Each structure stands twice: as C-alpha cells, then as structure tokens.
Amino acid sequence: MIDTELRVSKIEDGTVIDHITGGQALNVLAIIGIDGSSGEEVSIGMNVPSDRLGRKDIVKVEGRELSQNEVDVLSLIAPAATINIVRDFEVVEKHRVTRPETVVGVLSCPNANCISTADEPIESRFDVLDEGVRCTYCETIIRDSIASHISAA
Ligand code: CTP
Ligand code: ZN
C-alpha cells in the first residue's frame, strides 16, 4: 500500500506535530525554539494535501517533547494541530491542541515599558480573547500576526 501521507520518513523517538495550518510550519518551529543551530533532527512538510484541511504542514522533531506553554501558543496559530508522541517508531500518545485561557512565556509583550519586558524575572502572560491575546500586566492587545511576537529562543 502506498502511504501518500508519508512525505518524510518516520521518526524513532520524538514528536510529530501534524495538521498544522498550511504555511505555519516555520512559525511552529519558532514557537518551539528550533532554528537549526543546535543540531536538532527536524523534518518539515509544507502545504501537503490533507483530507481534513485541504493543505497542511507537518513538523517532526526527533528526541524532543513539547512543553505545555509551547503547545498553548501553538494552538493560537494552528488550532487543528495534533501532537503525536512517538516512542520506538510507534505513536504512543496523540492529542489535539486546545485554545487555552492564558499563555505563559513564549510570546513577548510589544510594550517596551511593560514589566514583563523589563529586566525582571517575570514571565510574559497573556489572556486569550476571541480577537487576539491581551497582556495580563499592561493590557496591550496583540490582534494580528501573533507569530511575530514569539520571543527569540
Ligand atoms: N509518524 C512518524 N513517525 C512514526 C509514527 C508516525 O512520523 N514513527 C507520523 C505519521 O506519518 C503521521 C503522524 O505521525 O503523519 C501520526 O501518525 P498516525 O497516528 O500513525 O497517523 P494517522 O492515523 O493518519 O493520524 P491522524 O488520525 O491524526 O491523521
Ligand atoms: Zn505587557
């Protein structure tokens, strides 16, 4: 049987982020802090055909699991994503992402005077609204291109 889904080879241990909104794979990599510089083994499929989404992206990361904070921010740009944990070539866990009430870390507040962007040990925190996300500390709202507010890894 020909597996038309299998664009990139199976991974042994790690995470497959599947059903990513088409075109968002590079933003997903930014959210999970991967830019290739630390030698991670990563496979990416972009705009591949999907029954459910028409076109989707897929990201496979060997030897890595995601933190809940990363998954929470990911849900904002890829609401239909599934997170598959792979061990010994088998999918041992699969879950859909869900839109959280708040996201902590990962994003940074665009307000330079916000306490979360000052040189203080305070993690960013945003409340998730229908129209975007709102900084808990200074109430600045990010409405568009949330991906451009991902903190540098
Ligand atoms: N996968 C992988 N390496 C493995 C196992 C699975 O890269 N060792 C990938 C598959 O190619 C697929 C995703 O992980 O893209 C989910 O695998 P699986 O649950 O087997 O596929 P489906 O049943 O098609 O998933 P879904 O129902 O979520 O679409
Ligand atoms: Zn702020």
Side-chain angles (χ1 to χ4, degrees), residues 13-143:
D13 284 285
T15 304
V16 176
I17 310 165
D18 197 1
H19 307 291
I20 299 167
T21 312
Q24 292 295 326
L26 297 179
N27 290 329
V28 167
L29 289 178
I31 289 167
I32 65 180
I34 289 180
D35 66 2
S37 64
S38 7
E40 308 90 344
E41 200 178 311
V42 178
S43 308
I44 305 167
M46 292 179 85
N47 297 311
V48 299
S50 158
D51 291 344
R52 228 195 282 163
L53 302 176
R55 298 272 165 184
K56 69 172 183 183
D57 287 4
I58 181 164
V59 168
K60 304 187 179 190
V61 190
E62 194 74 61
R64 246 305 285 279
E65 294 194 8
L66 309 186
S67 71
Q68 190 59 49
N69 289 346
E70 291 168 332
V71 172
D72 285 347
V73 175
L74 206 151
S75 75
L76 302 178
I77 63 158
T82 43
I83 311 291
N84 298 274
I85 311 293
V86 174
R87 294 209 185 98
D88 215 2
F89 291 103
E90 300 294 333
V91 174
V92 294
E93 258 180 61
K94 180 193 293 283
H95 24 92
R96 283 284 293 268
V97 300
T98 54
R99 196 170 168 85
E101 282 176 23
T102 59
V103 290
V104 177
V106 188
L107 295 176
S108 66
C109 182
N111 173 8
N113 296 318
C114 178
I115 189 165
S116 73
T117 55
D119 197 10
E120 304 274 351
I122 296 175
E123 271 197 296
S124 70
R125 174 183 287 268
F126 292 87
D127 301 312
V128 177
L129 318 171
D130 288 340
E131 67 267 28
V133 297
R134 182 183 57 212
C135 178
T136 308
Y137 299 105
C138 73
E139 300 191 348
T140 297
I141 296 182
I142 304 174
R143 290 174 200 278

